[in-house]
Amino acid sequence: MGCSRWVCLVFVLHLIYPGLVASNGFSDIPKKLLDFAKKSEVFDWMVGVRRKIHENPELGYEEFETSKLIRVELDKMGVKYKHPVAVTGVVGFIGTGEPPFVAIRADMDALPMQELVEWEHKSKNPGKMHGCGHDVHVAMLLGAAKILQEHREELKGTVVLVFQPAEEGGGGAKKILEEGALENVKAIFGLHVEPHLPIGKVASRSGPVLAGSGFFEATISGKGGHAAIPQHSIDPILAASNVIVSLQHLVSREADPLDSQVVTVAKFQGGGAFNVIPDSVTIGGTFRAFSKESFMQLKQRIKEVIHGQAAVQRCSAAVDFLDKDKPFFPATVNDKDLHDYFQIVARDLLGTDNVKDMNPLMGSEDFSFYQEVLPGYFFFLGMQNETLAKLESAHSPYFEVNEDILPYGAALHASLALRYLLEYQPKVSLLEHNHRDEL
């Protein structure tokens, strides 16, 4: 867009959105939304929502109470929504109900682990914990909904709020897509809290940011017997041990050192006595890569190694990749144009020095399913207060959230969505203005 066209666009938008578009264009929008999110009544409300969810963690596709809480809050705001989507999911709509459509997403599910943090709002569900920050993700998206609903008359398009179930291995994003909930959406944004990044900072990158991942489980069967006479048995523990060592060679000896890959065995179950060789052993783990080719090669070699090494020790093996219940996650790949757009919005909100580039991580995210079908952008939001104790990593039973992060996440969500509509709207053809039935 030439300079004169840009000035003309800003002038027109200033007439349409006098409360949001300042004389210098869109740059004041994020800070105004952050100020709104920091209001005591908004902040305290988000804290209360987050703590209610934290006290009642629910696993993937079981987020019934979390879903109910979300719907109650959306009802209070007067926000329309669809439910159920993907079993427990909620998809809300703010704006005109017409194109363009832009989505912002939060995951709702907890982890199957016992919380070890002693505080007033500790998990009340034994063996379940919000140890990855999904409770705060939901609270921030509800905060964004409150901000956007406050400015709904200025939205010349529609923001789609995606409250997604089952991110932790269940592939809830895939089910959201399969049910057509994001039809006609032009872009989607998602975030994750980062305990090791200072509060008020964000980090991301263009291109691959997180790896594709899958799971495997293998049962290695032999012949049980007395530990004192191993010659009468076929030892599956020995076979499983050889399998584990050999699996590590897939990365160290077969993968290109410049092509990051991971194979980890994290589960080993077999035997129940000190002097009894069991009949079978079960092992399981995860494998990860950034390219589909490398991922599928790892999958094939994992199967071959398990069968081959079991046979060397006279055992048999059955391998299950669990992809019916835990679908393979693609790599999370950020759209280049959305990266450039994110940098502009984040810098206006947080300042240039607080917007960081990052290296790819071997963690995975089912946000990647969205990115396979539409432009998507995923980023990390810091929450470490450097004057306080260091926060533990996600998936730790000691994981804690710095609730001061809530306004930042809410304002970023709202700014990315609202400003996307403001900048995209003039480019939308009138031919695209078809109403959606659910709105």
Side-chain angles (χ1 to χ4, degrees):
M1 179 178 292
C3 181
S4 61
R5 291 177 63 196
W6 178 258
V7 172
C8 180
L9 173 60
V10 171
F11 176 74
V12 171
L13 290 172
H14 178 72
L15 295 178
I16 299 174
Y17 315 112
L20 284 176
V21 182
S23 59
N24 59 340
F26 303 107
S27 60
D28 282 353
I29 293 175
K31 289 182 179 179
K32 288 182 178 180
L33 300 189
L34 179 60
D35 288 342
F36 182 91
K38 284 184 174 181
K39 289 181 179 180
S40 59
E41 62 270 25
V42 178
F43 175 74
D44 292 344
W45 166 75
M46 286 192 288
V47 168
V49 167
R50 182 257 161 173
R51 291 179 177 181
K52 288 178 184 176
I53 297 172
H54 190 88
E55 289 178 357
N56 186 31
E58 299 168 299
L59 303 182
Y61 301 119
E62 299 175 2
E63 309 97 330
F64 297 103
E65 291 302 315
T66 304
S67 177
K68 181 179 178 181
L69 182 151
I70 291 167
R71 286 178 279 125
V72 166
E73 295 299 334
L74 292 178
D75 284 335
K76 291 178 183 177
M77 297 180 212
V79 173
K80 297 179 181 179
Y81 56 83
K82 287 183 67 176
H83 169 80
V85 181
V87 186
T88 57
V90 181
V91 178
F93 308 93
I94 302 177
T96 64
E98 298 180 350
F101 297 96
V102 61
I104 44 180
R105 169 266 203 176
D107 35 17
M108 305 189 298
D109 56 325
L111 290 162
M113 57 194 294
Q114 183 65 39
E115 182 171 10
L116 298 180
V117 180
E118 297 298 334
W119 69 304
E120 183 181 356
H121 301 282
K122 181 178 179 179
S123 169
K124 296 178 180 178
N125 297 340
K128 300 176 185 179
M129 176 194 176
H130 270 293
C132 197
H134 296 188
D135 51 345
V136 74
H137 294 171
V138 171
M140 289 188 292
L141 188 54
L142 283 170
K146 186 177 284 290
I147 296 171
L148 292 166
Q149 185 69 349
E150 182 77 11
H151 298 94
R152 63 189 179 278
E153 300 301 328
E154 298 153 359
L155 292 174
K156 301 302 179 182
T158 307
V159 180
V160 182
L161 311 168
V162 182
F163 295 93
Q164 179 209 300
E167 188 279 327
E168 297 289 353
K174 189 169 184 287
K175 286 187 179 292
I176 292 280
L177 289 168
E178 289 171 348
E179 296 192 16
L182 299 187
E183 184 181 356
N184 298 324
V185 169
K186 298 298 184 182
I188 185 168
F189 297 92
L191 65 79
H192 203 293
V193 293
E194 172 48 59
H196 301 142
L197 187 68
I199 192 166
K201 295 182 183 290
V202 291
S204 193
R205 70 191 307 272
S206 177
V209 62
L210 294 167
S213 71
F215 299 97
F216 65 92
E217 187 174 76
T219 300
I220 300 170
S221 301
K223 179 183 176 183
H226 199 293
I229 45 175
Q231 69 274 22
H232 294 161
S233 302
I234 300 176
D235 190 348
I237 290 181
L238 177 61
S241 300
N242 284 334
V243 165
I244 293 170
V245 172
S246 295
L247 287 175
Q248 299 311 303
H249 297 163
L250 295 182
V251 174
S252 66
R253 296 295 87 186
E254 297 185 19
D256 183 338
L258 300 180
D259 179 15
S260 298
Q261 299 177 31
V262 165
V263 178
T264 294
V265 176
K267 175 182 179 180
F268 194 121
Q269 295 175 339
F274 293 111
N275 60 348
V276 178
I277 294 172
D279 286 318
S280 65
V281 167
T282 299
I283 65 170
T286 184
F287 60 107
R288 298 166 187 241
F290 283 101
S291 75
K292 287 185 178 180
E293 181 181 1
S294 297
F295 184 84
M296 297 311 295
Q297 174 69 8
L298 272 181
K299 177 177 179 290
Q300 179 64 26
R301 290 293 291 136
I302 287 169
K303 185 176 181 179
E304 292 173 352
V305 165
I306 292 173
H307 282 294
Q309 286 298 322
V312 167
Q313 302 297 329
R314 301 177 296 151
C315 290
S316 62
V319 184
D320 185 356
F321 286 97
L322 309 170
D323 48 322
K324 290 183 180 179
D325 296 324
K326 298 180 181 294
F328 298 148
F329 286 10
T332 304
V333 182
N334 280 339
D335 180 84
K336 182 184 183 303
D337 290 339
L338 291 184
H339 174 69
D340 295 339
Y341 168 71
F342 171 79
Q343 295 263 310
I344 294 170
V345 175
R347 287 168 180 166
D348 286 344
L349 179 68
L350 304 170
T352 301
D353 293 340
N354 292 320
V355 181
K356 304 295 183 182
D357 288 329
M358 59 178 284
N359 293 322
L361 301 174
M362 295 308 297
S364 63
E365 243 286 347
D366 81 348
F367 188 84
S368 56
F369 285 111
Y370 302 125
Q371 294 172 316
E372 284 200 313
V373 298
L374 71 151
Y377 195 81
F378 193 79
F379 63 96
F380 292 88
L381 179 61
M383 63 175 182
Q384 175 68 52
N385 184 334
E386 295 177 322
T387 66
L388 301 177
K390 183 178 178 180
L391 295 172
E392 294 294 329
S393 298
H395 291 219
S396 163
Y398 295 99
F399 179 82
E400 295 180 84
V401 164
N402 178 0
E403 292 174 332
D404 290 340
I405 197 177
L406 286 161
Y408 294 97
L412 274 166
H413 268 317
S415 298
L416 288 165
L418 189 152
R419 195 162 161 183
Y420 183 89
L421 295 181
L422 291 181
E423 297 195 49
Y424 184 84
Q425 173 67 23
K427 305 174 189 177
V428 176
S429 167
L430 294 176
L431 296 176
E432 294 185 23
H433 280 261
N434 297 319
H435 287 272
R436 288 171 64 110
D437 292 340
E438 66 270 21
L439 298 181

